[in-house]
Amino acid sequence: MSNLHILIEELGKPYSDLKFLLTCFREVLVENGETELAEVMPWVGEKTPQNADHFSQKHFNMFSVCFQLLNLAETNGAVQQRRKTEEGNSLLSINGLWANSLKLLNKKGIAEDKILESLKNISIQPVLTAHPTEAKRPVILKKYRELYLLLVKRENSMYNSYELQENREEMKRVISSIWHIDEFYMEKPTIENELDNAIHYFVNVFPEVVQLLNRRLVQAWEFSGYDSASLISENNFPRLKFGTWIGGDRDGHPLVNAAVTCDTLQKLRLNAFITIKKELNRLSDDLSFYFDISNLPQFMLDRFKALVAETGNKSKSIISASRNEAFKLIVQLFINKLPINSGNSRLLELDDEKGSYDNSRQLITDLELLKEALLATRLNDIAHQSVNRTIYFIRTFGFHLAELDIRQNSRYYQLALQQLVEKSDPFNASNLDWTPEAKKKFLEKELHSARPFTQDYSTLDTESKNTIECFQLLNKHISKYAHYSIGSLIVSMTQGANDLLTVYILAREAGLIHFEDTMVMKLQVVPLFETIQDLIDSPAILEEYFSYPEVQNSLEYQRKAQNLPVKTQEVMIGYSDSNKDGGILASAWFLYKAQKEISEVGKKFGIDIKFFHGKGGSISRGAGPIHWFLRSLPHGTLSGNFKITEQGESIEKKFANKINAVYNLELMMAGNTLNTLLHKTPEEDADDIAEIMEFLGQESFNTYTELLQNPHFLDFYQEATPIDVIEQSKIGSRPARRTGKRSFSDLRAIPWVFSWGQSRYHITSWYGVGSTLEKMQKQCPEKYDKLKKLIPKNQFIRYVLTNVDTSLASTDKDIMQLYGSLVKNEETREEVLNLLLQEFDKTQQIMNELLGRPMKERRKSHYYSTQLRAEALNTLHNYQVHYIKKWREQQNTDADENKNILNQLLLSVNAIANAMGTTG
């Protein structure tokens, strides 16, 4: 049996769906006169492309679409398999979902009332970012979603052959649109393009998901034998909210200024009202039954009269249209109080006129009153179902749709402060000593002062001007509306408490503080610990930071503003840069250790730590199954509030389709609830992993950094990967390098991982592992034996090693050597390539020994999916290498031809990224 036939047999339904989709695509190509393309289509074509110079942009595009169709087929296969599993084996059968999590809690002796009580303190917040790992245009995302829904429709056995044929024709129509529409931006996307991409999910996907997510909890609750009455009637569901960095992330992004942030906040606000109006109209329809106004409870009648007075003449037409449907009429008056109207083009636009709601709490108060009135008139079902749904909806999206985080680099803030001081009359900045100790004294003195450095901001330098303008905008926005729309002020590359206190002084300049007993920050300042050294230093940094009364008073102010039970400090930890800095084992261990130690510091000061996990879409940047990730977190570090970045192609993979979005959010919500409660119980079988992991982390760090410091390494990297192509790509508005310097330290973690993945090395997720494990096995056999025993029962160790294992499966020695051939200097090529190949073999062998069985047996579906992709990927890699050689050789020749070659290369990057299912 051929390799392809084995794959077909093992993959089952996903391959049959793929073949169906490819057949439709092939017909579309033939009907469009692209017979030659159809003949070389991967998996179903009769021919393979021969002449490299005739492998055109259309070929790369065709392969890219084929891989997207494979992704759709596999997504549908996974969804249908979950449905069958739940139907045949009950809700308990799928790890990580609500029923399974409730069973585990019950097994641990945690009673129903304790779980119910905990739900009000549980929240998850996925934060959508625009890091340059995927930038499909929103129109293409909609087309793929439409195609997916048509594929799902075929699962319904009720359709007859004629209806199925019509379905097939519809699918061909959508595939034809996809083929003709440029999938990716031909020009670098603007921040507005990236924001539109995120808003697509906030407006078209997540609103549909919210209620389904809560229904899943109710089903699991009842399945577990619990009484759902109080869960439903009290609307006691865990909190879901969303965030974004797009338009707020300034770190190394010169295009994000105060005007961009202002536009972003306004656009998010407008789209929030569009979704709210739709939800209120749905509620209005639910309440469209005859009920005389005079029969309303007196408190509701009083509010009705007040609503009419607040909205004035605008309410007359509403009253006449719904006079006999009192409850519907009240909701229509709520809609009338939204600060929007139809503009000249009949599109909704913001309008903060008198009588409109100022913030979402006012609308929620009105909805709670409506619920009370319905209960008073014994319309309990509508109160508990329809109105509660709308209240939860408003709590989720507010008047801001998603919280906007503001991120900037600590070095940028340092420059801004220095520039401000230079403009200040009382200071002679040239004589100031900016050493850490001197700066600490300077900051402590300034924390007690209310006066600004200067009144004239017109002559400020770039960093100080941009910072003050940003902070002034934030202050104006939260003063006018509410603080809900702004997330945190994230300080990337935080290396000391000084970096955080600097933000307080800059905020003072913009009015973003007020004075009580001390200076108080209106918004929370959040450290981002990214490098290995910063993670090691993080507990001491926070201990110093928390010792300031200004910080304590600010946290108390923020606690009251957010209605939290205790003071809470958000701490962001970076998976990308710590991996780039030290490799996968060092990154995993020092992240784990930092969380444990930071949590202890929080307890010492009576502060809950809310960790914000800065993870990306690849294993090197922290990706992995979310429920297993949550199980792997150090005991005692989950406070109930869970925040995580969703980046690039992982957004589409997880959330493009409604059922998949519900599944992934349920994993996150149920996993957070389960592990938050488990973290409050005594830790059972608390194996001391510190000694083992300290050895693995430190030794792998040494091996990994030894590779980076090899004098040939950087040259090898620049030539053996398509990093130069990626830096020319149009897949993000952000530059690939922080300052434009061509150095390892200046290169962002995303293109670093992206380029190694494109060339199938994936060294960022396994290099150093084999040597370290071998060293432990030989020099510390007792530690190695203990490690083997811990793998089946320690969640953290198993999670880390499983991720290494997954990455090894995606690494290909033949492709590594193919890209290695791009390195011109023989000594450079042989020295570095041999190091990589030897370490890969070593890691593979020892991982098989540690885990007991080969990947083919351990992770069957993953293994065969990887094999199937390799069938077509090899073609793409060969042509990409061919064109990289040609492009580099012609750098100083014909500009037009070189531009054409670059366009082909950019398409090849996108095609391979689609095939791998990940970029950076």
Side-chain angles (χ1 to χ4, degrees):
M1 190 181 291
S2 72
N3 189 39
L4 183 57
H5 283 93
I6 294 171
L7 292 173
I8 291 168
E9 189 174 299
E10 293 292 344
L11 289 167
K13 179 173 168 48
Y15 186 82
S16 63
D17 282 347
L18 172 64
K19 189 174 181 182
F20 172 77
L21 289 167
L22 291 175
T23 303
C24 291
F25 184 26
R26 188 174 177 180
E27 289 174 15
V28 167
L29 289 175
V30 171
E31 288 163 12
N32 280 275
E34 301 287 0
T35 306
E36 189 271 332
L37 281 177
E39 288 175 345
V40 296
M41 184 179 283
W43 304 302
V44 296
E46 299 92 356
K47 299 179 182 178
T48 54
Q50 297 297 321
N51 191 328
D53 285 317
H54 288 91
F55 197 88
S56 65
Q57 291 186 28
K58 283 186 177 181
H59 287 82
F60 283 122
N61 197 32
M62 180 266 288
F63 269 72
S64 185
V65 173
C66 287
F67 281 118
Q68 280 291 96
L69 296 180
L70 171 57
N71 294 338
L72 277 187
E74 289 190 336
T75 297
N76 184 51
V79 168
Q80 300 311 325
Q81 185 58 46
R82 287 199 298 270
R83 281 178 166 153
K84 285 180 183 176
T85 302
E86 283 192 339
E87 186 63 31
N89 305 315
S90 88
L91 292 175
L92 290 172
S93 54
I94 299 179
N95 276 323
L97 298 183
W98 273 119
N100 188 270
S101 299
L102 292 173
K103 181 185 177 183
L104 287 173
L105 289 171
N106 186 267
K107 200 173 175 181
K108 289 285 185 182
I110 300 173
E112 175 186 353
D113 60 335
K114 291 288 184 188
I115 302 171
L116 189 65
E117 175 65 21
S118 74
L119 293 181
K120 64 185 178 186
N121 295 320
I122 298 291
S123 74
I124 63 168
Q125 185 179 21
V127 178
L128 274 58
T129 73
H131 284 317
T133 56
E134 197 268 293
K136 290 187 184 70
R137 298 163 64 205
V139 64
I140 280 290
L141 291 171
K142 288 175 184 174
K143 289 295 176 186
Y144 277 119
R145 187 179 185 208
E146 188 180 351
L147 186 60
Y148 173 79
L149 292 174
L150 288 167
L151 184 62
V152 171
K153 200 173 180 181
R154 297 185 70 82
E155 303 294 334
N156 195 326
S157 59
M158 66 178 278
Y159 293 115
N160 63 32
S161 59
Y162 299 103
E163 289 169 313
L164 287 174
Q165 182 57 33
E166 180 57 29
N167 169 275
R168 190 176 189 278
E169 291 304 313
E170 272 294 287
M171 293 180 92
K172 283 179 64 178
R173 177 189 63 78
V174 177
I175 291 170
S176 181
S177 293
I178 289 169
W179 175 245
H180 286 104
I181 297 170
D182 290 319
E183 184 171 350
F184 297 92
Y185 293 107
M186 297 307 289
E187 298 298 329
K188 210 166 178 58
T190 63
I191 298 161
E192 188 176 10
N193 296 145
E194 292 171 333
L195 183 62
D196 287 342
N197 202 6
I199 285 174
H200 163 79
Y201 292 94
F202 293 139
V203 171
N204 299 318
V205 179
F206 294 138
E208 295 181 47
V209 162
V210 169
Q211 182 62 13
L212 287 171
L213 193 60
N214 287 344
R215 286 301 309 164
R216 290 281 302 177
L217 174 53
V218 171
Q219 288 173 351
W221 199 264
E222 292 172 349
F223 178 85
S224 302
Y226 299 155
D227 180 8
S228 63
S230 57
L231 182 69
I232 295 168
S233 62
E234 294 174 26
N235 215 6
N236 195 20
F237 296 98
R239 179 81 184 271
L240 170 67
K241 57 180 180 175
F242 297 98
T244 185
W245 282 12
I246 304 166
D249 186 7
R250 292 156 154 68
D251 185 8
H253 201 324
L255 300 178
V256 180
N257 54 31
V260 166
T261 300
C262 181
D263 290 344
T264 299
L265 289 167
Q266 294 299 95
K267 197 164 191 176
L268 288 169
R269 185 171 167 81
L270 175 61
N271 279 279
F273 291 129
I274 290 170
T275 60
I276 288 168
K277 186 176 182 183
K278 192 182 293 184
E279 172 62 19
L280 288 174
N281 276 325
R282 183 209 58 78
L283 176 61
S284 172
D285 289 344
D286 285 357
L287 299 176
S288 187
F289 50 83
Y290 291 125
F291 194 98
D292 196 85
I293 292 173
S294 62
N295 292 330
L296 287 171
Q298 188 60 46
F299 65 84
M300 193 73 251
L301 192 59
D302 292 343
R303 181 58 186 143
F304 166 71
K305 291 174 182 175
L307 285 166
V308 172
E310 287 164 13
T311 51
N313 291 332
K314 285 174 68 178
S315 61
K316 288 182 180 178
S317 60
I318 296 170
I319 293 170
S320 84
S322 304
R323 182 176 297 276
N324 299 316
E325 300 166 278
F327 288 110
K328 176 181 179 177
L329 173 56
I330 287 166
V331 176
Q332 288 296 318
L333 290 172
F334 293 168
I335 294 171
N336 203 33
K337 276 179 68 65
L338 295 176
I340 48 172
N341 65 34
S342 296
N344 295 331
S345 60
R346 305 198 63 77
L347 296 173
L348 289 177
E349 56 186 35
L350 294 171
D351 184 3
D352 293 323
E353 65 178 354
K354 188 178 178 182
S356 297
Y357 289 119
D358 291 323
N359 58 65
S360 58
R361 277 191 181 173
Q362 294 170 337
L363 174 55
I364 288 172
T365 299
D366 273 346
L367 286 165
E368 294 281 8
L369 202 67
L370 172 65
K371 176 183 170 182
E372 195 178 331
L374 286 163
L375 290 172
T377 51
R378 302 194 177 187
L379 293 164
N380 294 19
D381 280 356
I382 293 175
H384 291 153
Q385 298 289 347
S386 297
V387 182
N388 270 354
R389 165 183 159 154
T390 302
I391 290 170
Y392 188 88
F393 187 97
I394 306 300
R395 285 176 181 162
T396 298
F397 296 104
F399 283 6
H400 57 277
L401 202 62
E403 285 183 0
L404 182 66
D405 283 326
I406 307 298
R407 183 174 75 146
Q408 184 54 278
N409 194 283
S410 60
R411 177 62 185 153
Y412 195 96
Y413 283 141
Q414 288 169 20
L415 285 172
L417 181 60
Q418 288 177 31
Q419 290 166 6
L420 262 177
V421 173
E422 286 172 8
K423 298 293 181 185
S424 178
D425 290 335
F427 294 97
N428 185 349
S430 59
N431 294 331
L432 280 177
D433 178 5
W434 289 104
T435 60
E437 207 47 52
K439 186 179 177 185
K440 179 182 176 181
K441 289 179 183 176
F442 175 79
L443 290 170
E444 287 175 346
K445 180 183 174 185
E446 289 300 314
L447 285 172
H448 301 300
S449 173
R451 60 102 184 92
F453 285 117
T454 181
Q455 299 291 340
D456 180 13
Y457 300 114
S458 61
T459 60
L460 290 178
D461 294 320
T462 302
E463 287 79 5
S464 52
K465 189 171 190 292
N466 288 346
T467 300
I468 299 306
E469 285 178 350
C470 171
F471 286 2
Q472 285 176 330
L473 165 69
L474 299 179
N475 187 49
K476 180 181 176 183
H477 192 84
I478 63 177
S479 299
K480 185 176 182 181
Y481 303 118
H483 72 275
Y484 320 126
S485 53
I486 311 297
S488 307
L489 301 176
I490 298 165
V491 185
S492 57
M493 290 296 171
T494 296
Q495 297 177 327
N498 284 356
D499 293 330
L500 305 175
L501 298 176
T502 295
V503 181
Y504 279 60
I505 307 305
L506 292 167
R508 181 194 70 189
E509 205 74 16
L512 197 54
I513 55 97
H514 66 263
F515 276 84
E516 293 174 2
D517 294 333
T518 65
M519 180 189 291
V520 170
M521 274 288 296
K522 296 178 185 177
L523 297 173
Q524 187 159 124
V525 180
V526 171
L528 168 48
F529 300 114
E530 300 180 80
T531 67
I532 298 294
Q533 190 58 52
D534 292 344
L535 288 167
I536 292 169
D537 295 341
S538 60
I541 292 170
L542 284 170
E543 177 128 21
E544 181 186 344
Y545 180 62
F546 290 154
S547 69
Y548 287 92
E550 291 80 6
V551 174
Q552 291 294 331
N553 290 343
S554 296
L555 292 175
E556 177 61 17
Y557 170 86
Q558 293 151 15
R559 182 195 72 77
K560 290 176 182 175
Q562 296 172 37
N563 197 28
L564 296 173
V566 296
K567 287 188 279 193
T568 302
Q569 172 66 50
E570 185 176 307
V571 176
M572 188 170 183
I573 49 176
Y575 290 70
S576 306
D577 277 285
S578 59
N579 177 281
K580 175 176 173 255
D581 191 35
I584 192 164
L585 286 183
S587 172
W589 170 239
F590 288 111
L591 282 162
Y592 182 98
K593 193 177 176 184
Q595 288 173 77
K596 194 86 173 167
E597 293 176 358
I598 288 169
S599 294
E600 291 301 318
V601 173
K603 286 174 190 170
K604 178 179 174 181
F605 285 89
I607 296 168
D608 268 3
I609 302 295
K610 173 186 176 182
F611 285 107
F612 180 7
H613 298 272
K615 290 155 60 77
S618 65
I619 284 168
S620 301
R621 298 182 53 239
I626 189 65
H627 52 306
W628 295 122
F629 168 73
L630 285 159
R631 292 300 301 273
S632 77
L633 293 175
H635 192 82
T637 60
L638 264 174
S639 64
N641 292 316
F642 181 73
K643 187 174 178 181
I644 187 170
T645 51
E646 297 289 357
Q647 298 180 4
E649 80 290 334
S650 66
I651 297 172
E652 184 194 9
K653 192 185 298 182
K654 291 180 181 180
F655 306 125
N657 302 301
K658 183 172 65 176
I659 299 303
N660 225 32
V662 171
Y663 170 68
N664 282 292
L665 289 172
E666 183 178 347
L667 285 178
M668 197 182 294
M669 189 76 85
N672 183 28
T673 305
L674 167 68
N675 292 289
T676 295
L677 284 166
L678 291 180
H679 282 208
K680 291 177 181 176
T681 63
E683 190 173 8
E684 295 177 11
D685 302 320
D687 296 292
D688 181 17
I689 66 167
E691 190 182 9
I692 288 174
M693 287 307 303
E694 193 72 39
F695 179 96
L696 293 177
Q698 195 57 59
E699 289 296 330
S700 67
F701 177 79
N702 294 340
T703 305
Y704 178 84
T705 51
E706 188 180 328
L707 173 70
L708 300 188
Q709 289 162 9
N710 184 296
H712 295 285
F713 177 74
L714 199 54
D715 287 339
F716 180 90
Y717 167 65
Q718 296 282 5
E719 294 184 51
T721 75
I723 180 60
D724 48 351
V725 177
I726 288 167
E727 289 181 327
Q728 298 288 324
S729 66
K730 313 296 183 186
I731 57 172
S733 64
R734 177 189 304 276
R737 294 176 185 270
R738 284 189 166 90
T739 65
K741 296 174 184 175
R742 301 204 63 78
S743 65
F744 172 74
S745 60
D746 194 58
L747 182 70
R748 292 181 179 279
I750 297 165
W752 164 253
V753 174
F754 194 170
S755 50
W756 285 116
Q758 278 277 308
S759 45
R760 302 292 290 284
Y761 287 94
H762 295 292
I763 69 162
T764 51
S765 48
W766 56 260
Y767 194 88
V769 175
S771 293
T772 301
L773 289 171
E774 184 183 68
K775 189 170 185 178
M776 178 184 275
Q777 187 182 37
K778 289 178 179 176
Q779 296 181 9
C780 311
E782 72 292 342
K783 282 195 181 93
Y784 186 79
D785 289 342
K786 187 176 182 182
L787 174 66
K788 284 187 80 169
K789 289 173 185 172
L790 283 171
I791 290 170
K793 56 182 182 176
N794 185 277
Q795 301 284 356
F796 171 67
I797 288 175
R798 187 168 64 199
Y799 178 77
V800 173
L801 292 180
T802 300
N803 278 344
V804 172
D805 193 39
T806 300
S807 187
L808 286 170
S810 300
T811 306
D812 189 301
K813 281 179 71 174
D814 292 336
I815 302 299
M816 289 165 74
Q817 289 170 312
L818 173 68
Y819 281 85
S821 70
L822 289 166
V823 181
K824 291 180 179 178
N825 184 284
E826 187 177 346
E827 184 185 356
T828 297
R829 180 175 63 249
E830 289 187 3
E831 181 168 333
V832 179
L833 186 58
N834 284 339
L835 281 172
L836 300 182
L837 293 173
Q838 286 167 18
E839 183 67 13
F840 175 69
D841 287 339
K842 196 178 290 183
T843 306
Q844 243 188 351
Q845 288 165 13
I846 203 158
M847 286 293 292
N848 284 338
E849 195 273 330
L850 259 182
L851 299 173
R853 292 179 299 160
M855 167 69 80
K856 188 189 293 190
E857 296 173 24
R858 291 194 308 272
R859 312 269 303 286
K860 185 177 173 183
S861 60
H862 179 87
Y863 173 82
Y864 285 109
S865 173
T866 302
Q867 293 296 306
L868 180 67
R869 289 167 192 273
E871 290 277 322
L873 261 171
N874 290 345
T875 301
L876 286 180
H877 285 304
N878 276 293
Y879 288 118
Q880 187 183 72
V881 168
H882 168 81
Y883 281 113
I884 287 173
K885 273 182 187 171
K886 193 170 182 179
W887 180 60
R888 288 174 180 171
E889 286 167 0
Q890 294 184 187
Q891 285 295 318
N892 299 314
T893 57
D894 189 316
D896 288 337
E897 185 182 354
N898 223 24
K899 186 178 178 182
N900 290 334
I901 295 172
L902 177 60
N903 285 337
Q904 295 200 56
L905 282 171
L906 294 175
L907 283 168
S908 78
V909 166
N910 292 327
I912 291 171
N914 278 340
M916 299 298 295
T918 184
T919 53

